[in-house]
Amino acid sequence: MTKFLWSISIVAGTIYTALFFILSIPRLLYPYELEWMEGAIADHAVRIVEGKQLYVRPTIEFVNWLYQPLYYYASAAAMQIFGVGFFAGRFISFCSTLLSTALIFFIVRKITTERFLLPFLAASLFLASYGITGYTHDIGRIDALLVFLLLASAACLVFRQSYLSVICSSIFISLAFFTKQPAVFYILPCTVWLFLKDKKLFSVFVLSTAILIGTGFLILTAQNGQWYEYYVFAVPRGKAAHGGFGCLSTLKAFPDFIFSFWSISSFMILAFFFLEKKNGLKTFFLSQNGLLILIFLTSVIQLAFQFGDHASYKNIALPFVSFSSMLFPIALKKNREKFSGIASQVFLLTLPIQFVALIYNPLHDPLVVINGTDRLAGEKFYSMLHELPGNVYIPAHGFLPQLAGKHEFANDLAMGDVFTVDDTTAIAVKKEYYQSLALHYFSFIITDDNLYRTMYHMDDSITGYTFCKRINNSSVPFISRIGDYSATPCKLFIPKTSE
């Protein structure tokens, strides 16, 4: 029975790993937009490539996202090699995912002393989460890089506790912070663990992290003036203050994710903690497993906190998934060592069940399986877009006109985030936006026909413009993803003529 359960788990892990590469490589090479955030993030990288200031006063031309800048710089560096396009950002994410997979493998190998089996299953569990995290392992978004940096920071402490390893851990966690703000949560478990472990190493970690983050903040402020702080800190605060954050929504993380898709893993890790703490909490938390448990609990808090954001999506679960994938096989081994017979078999049975819980159908969601029809649809849409004379505004897809040789304009959701702040800056950009519509600054506006509600969701609601016709309406139109849904830019608006 034991061999059978191990065999089932190995087969499942192999299938998930192979499926990830089979799906991911064609998506990596797809020359058009896979997901609407890709274009908005690519806009930032292009600014860096062109030598422009990254964070600027919001205008109808460009509005920054409320994210830290490291991923933009990494994508810009890739664009210097591969050229301007979607591949650069996807390349950073794909490589980050491969590095994260390798770190999970070697961390589990270090702690369990298993050479291959458990490390491989841990890595394959991470890749098996491809579907439930919204296929964000390989697209031009920030999360994959964030996860790699968090894992790298933890790995430095797991493999060695020395001044050099602590400084390296500090560097990685600081880079993670400058990738996405929620990384700040993960400074605490490392700090607590080092405080319990070694006060000198604790002091080095705290001091180096403070210096690195402080220096980074000063450099970015010097480069961008007030606008770095405005987008990265003021806009998120403004959104939360105006109803963008719900305290009760944080609780949804538990039934919707932690105790649904990952319920087997979560219960196994909790059992591991309660079984190990009998030997003394301090002794346990001083161990490498104790560090991983602290980080895992932090990932639960981070996930719940981000669930409070009403605009959050499955990608926010990627850190939780990475540490769950790593801890589950470790917990499985430790729990089985304490039991024998049927109880040990029951623990082992949880592994194939966890793999089953992560099953996803790649044919169910748009643009997961890329084929020649998708490429042809993208080619036709870009050709049509290129032929339209004058300025073309596609509110949800700022990067598309640029790749078709058109002028760049701000993403509507990024602009909407600024509007929620409702300060003098927001009032000024809102006035500029409505003036641009009234003065017919755009020759055409193209909006999406989808379940996602932009500020242009009604057919004839754009000030100064009227609905003209539907475009991109073939049996297989050009689409991209917005969350779990397809976004089809197909409603063409033209300036209203005076009567």
Side-chain angles (χ1 to χ4, degrees):
M1 184 65 175
T2 300
K3 288 184 178 180
F4 174 74
L5 293 176
W6 280 122
S7 299
I8 292 295
S9 300
I10 292 169
V11 169
T14 303
I15 291 173
Y16 276 117
T17 301
L19 184 60
F20 168 73
F21 285 101
I22 290 170
L23 296 174
S24 186
I25 291 175
R27 282 161 52 87
L28 185 69
L29 300 175
Y30 183 60
Y32 308 113
E33 187 177 75
L34 287 170
E35 200 253 13
W36 69 282
M37 278 287 291
E38 282 195 311
I41 288 174
D43 285 336
H44 293 68
V46 171
R47 292 187 67 83
I48 297 170
V49 171
E50 294 175 348
K52 297 178 181 177
Q53 182 174 312
L54 179 56
Y55 295 97
V56 292
R57 185 183 77 83
T59 66
I60 190 64
E61 310 291 329
F62 183 74
V63 177
N64 291 91
W65 279 109
L66 42 72
Y67 295 127
Q68 293 274 26
L70 184 62
Y71 184 82
Y72 306 146
Y73 281 103
S75 297
M79 284 183 182
Q80 298 283 11
I81 301 171
F82 303 113
V84 173
F86 292 109
F87 178 80
R90 293 173 194 162
F91 177 79
I92 297 300
S93 294
F94 183 76
C95 290
S96 297
T97 294
L98 296 186
L99 290 170
S100 296
T101 305
L103 284 173
I104 290 171
F105 181 94
F106 286 109
I107 290 173
V108 174
R109 183 175 179 175
K110 168 73 173 176
I111 292 178
T112 63
T113 68
E114 294 269 357
R115 291 190 59 82
F116 180 76
L117 182 56
L118 285 177
F120 167 73
L121 292 174
S124 59
L125 278 170
F126 175 63
L127 295 179
S129 69
Y130 189 45
I132 65 168
T133 53
Y135 308 99
T136 52
H137 287 62
D138 57 5
I139 63 172
R141 291 188 66 152
I142 291 165
D143 307 276
L145 178 60
L146 170 69
V147 165
F148 161 65
L149 294 170
L150 292 176
L151 287 168
S153 178
C156 290
L157 299 181
V158 167
F159 280 94
R160 184 171 297 177
Q161 293 87 57
S162 65
Y163 290 119
L164 179 59
S165 65
V166 166
I167 291 173
C168 288
S169 177
S170 174
I171 291 171
F172 282 119
I173 199 68
S174 299
L175 290 174
F177 173 73
F178 286 112
T179 301
K180 200 172 184 180
Q181 295 92 318
V184 73
F185 284 100
Y186 294 88
I187 297 175
L188 181 59
C190 298
T191 303
V192 170
W193 189 74
L194 286 170
F195 180 81
L196 296 172
K197 189 84 173 174
D198 188 312
K199 300 300 188 294
K200 291 182 179 179
L201 295 179
F202 158 79
S203 299
V204 170
F205 180 83
V206 171
L207 182 61
S208 57
T209 303
I211 290 173
L212 289 167
I213 291 179
T215 301
F217 182 85
L218 290 175
I219 291 172
L220 288 167
T221 301
Q223 290 178 340
N224 302 280
Q226 64 173 317
W227 301 115
Y228 166 68
E229 189 278 336
Y230 180 79
Y231 286 106
V232 174
F233 302 108
V235 173
R237 286 197 303 267
K239 282 187 65 180
H242 289 84
F245 184 87
C247 292
L248 289 178
S249 296
T250 61
L251 301 177
K252 292 169 59 180
F254 296 93
D256 287 2
F257 210 94
I258 297 168
F259 292 121
S260 58
F261 297 110
W262 281 93
S263 57
I264 297 295
S265 173
S266 298
F267 283 119
M268 181 65 71
I269 293 169
L270 289 174
F272 167 55
F273 171 70
F274 285 112
L275 288 171
E276 289 290 320
K277 81 180 186 69
K278 293 180 180 179
N279 300 324
L281 275 177
K282 186 172 181 180
T283 301
F284 173 70
F285 280 122
L286 284 173
S287 68
Q288 295 164 320
N289 290 328
L291 171 62
L292 295 182
I293 284 287
L294 285 172
I295 298 176
F296 167 77
L297 293 174
T298 301
S299 73
V300 171
I301 295 170
Q302 171 255 311
L303 178 59
F305 178 81
Q306 289 199 265
F307 254 89
D309 183 350
H310 298 315
S312 63
Y313 183 56
K314 299 173 184 177
N315 59 294
I316 62 174
L318 212 51
F320 169 81
V321 161
S322 64
F323 290 107
S324 295
S325 302
M326 188 163 51
L327 258 177
F328 180 34
I330 295 171
L332 176 64
K333 180 181 180 181
K334 295 293 184 180
N335 290 345
R336 292 188 73 223
E337 288 174 351
K338 297 183 183 301
F339 296 90
S340 59
I342 295 177
S344 179
Q345 298 284 355
V346 170
F347 276 120
L348 183 55
L349 181 62
T350 61
L351 187 56
I353 292 175
Q354 180 58 78
F355 274 114
V356 169
L358 298 177
I359 288 177
Y360 60 91
N361 179 5
L363 300 176
H364 180 265
D365 295 304
L367 291 179
V368 178
V369 178
I370 299 296
N371 54 45
T373 305
D374 295 318
R375 289 176 173 270
L376 181 60
E379 182 180 326
K380 289 181 177 179
F381 181 79
Y382 274 71
S383 177
M384 177 275 299
L385 193 58
H386 178 74
E387 295 300 321
L388 290 176
N391 290 332
V392 182
Y393 183 30
I394 310 181
H397 311 276
F399 195 52
L400 301 190
Q402 187 172 163
L403 287 183
K406 298 296 180 180
H407 191 64
E408 171 192 3
F409 295 105
N411 179 277
D412 70 325
L413 265 198
M415 189 180 297
D417 287 344
V418 171
F419 286 175
T420 62
V421 181
D422 202 27
D423 59 1
T424 54
T425 298
I427 293 169
V429 71
K430 190 179 293 187
K431 180 179 179 181
E432 178 188 346
Y433 157 69
Y434 283 112
Q435 282 181 340
S436 68
L437 296 178
L439 296 174
H440 297 163
Y441 183 55
F442 313 110
S443 301
F444 301 93
I445 297 176
I446 302 174
T447 67
D448 288 84
D449 186 11
N450 53 61
L451 297 179
Y452 172 76
R453 290 296 184 247
T454 69
M455 60 181 73
Y456 308 106
H457 64 273
M458 292 188 295
D459 277 347
D460 200 17
S461 63
I462 304 178
T463 303
Y465 287 76
T466 187
F467 175 73
C468 175
K469 63 179 179 178
R470 295 181 69 86
I471 58 173
N472 186 33
N473 57 351
S474 66
S475 58
V476 185
F478 167 73
I479 62 171
S480 66
R481 286 170 57 92
I482 289 185
D484 292 329
Y485 308 106
S486 62
T488 309
C490 62
K491 296 179 181 178
L492 185 69
F493 293 81
I494 60 174
K496 286 182 178 178
T497 57
S498 56
E499 299 179 356

